[in-house]
Amino acid sequence: MTKQFDPAIRRRMYWANTLKNPTTCPECGAGLTTELHAYAIAAQERGEITSFATSNSGGHFCASCPVVVLDNEVFNQITQESPDISRFQVMGIIDVEHTTDDDIAITEFLRDKVIAKSTDKVGRNDPCPCKSGKKYKKCCMQQ
């Protein structure tokens, strides 16, 4: 099955419940597309760190930016299947096509998020700091 969104491309990850509008990209405002992918998860279980993989449609991808918005409800439901998991973190997307019997190919998320500096005041008609090419009033100001 061909993926529209290549799992080998590193992306910035956002949680849907932290966004004002989880159906649009937090960086450029474009609509997001849902796609089935496999994810690597690290979990704290009875004080020990364990890891596991899950495949689900909880990832919503931007076609313009290297961004994925994860649906926290989907991932919470998966981790609640084991009552011993107290915390978890999604480590990255598993690149199934490049995974072998000896090595799991995990594409980690980018660490830097695009955030406007609070010291720089952005005018309504200025270019948006998310670098979408749109004016601020037509992009991130609406969020």
Side-chain angles (χ1 to χ4, degrees):
M1 176 181 188
T2 303
K3 300 280 186 190
Q4 179 179 349
F5 300 98
D6 185 352
I9 295 174
R10 292 186 71 195
R11 300 175 189 284
R12 284 180 290 282
M13 187 274 290
Y14 295 85
W15 285 107
N17 67 333
T18 64
L19 303 174
K20 289 181 183 177
N21 186 353
T23 62
T24 62
C25 176
E27 296 183 13
C28 73
L32 300 173
T33 303
T34 302
E35 189 168 80
L36 177 76
H37 279 277
Y39 298 90
I41 296 179
Q44 185 171 5
E45 197 168 7
R46 294 187 195 146
E48 299 289 324
I49 303 298
T50 61
S51 60
F52 64 94
T54 183
S55 182
N56 64 57
S57 296
H60 311 286
F61 296 81
C62 179
S64 303
C65 301
V67 166
V68 60
V69 175
L70 299 183
D71 185 334
N72 51 300
E73 291 181 19
V74 170
F75 285 90
N76 282 334
Q77 183 178 16
I78 291 165
T79 57
Q80 287 173 358
E81 291 173 4
S82 174
D84 296 326
I85 294 177
S86 57
R87 298 184 319 172
F88 72 93
Q89 182 172 348
V90 182
M91 304 305 295
I93 301 173
I94 298 174
D95 187 354
V96 177
E97 288 186 16
H98 293 98
T99 293
T100 65
D101 289 340
D102 298 323
D103 188 35
I104 298 174
I106 299 173
T107 305
E108 293 182 2
F109 298 118
L110 294 169
R111 298 280 181 213
D112 59 331
K113 300 246 197 287
V114 176
I115 301 172
K117 294 178 184 176
S118 60
T119 57
D120 296 340
K121 185 166 181 167
V122 181
R124 290 174 41 83
N125 292 312
D126 290 341
C128 191
C130 76
K131 301 193 185 328
S132 66
K134 299 178 185 177
K135 289 185 179 184
Y136 179 63
K137 68 182 177 185
K138 298 269 187 184
C139 190
C140 291
M141 183 177 166
Q142 294 178 343
Q143 294 179 12

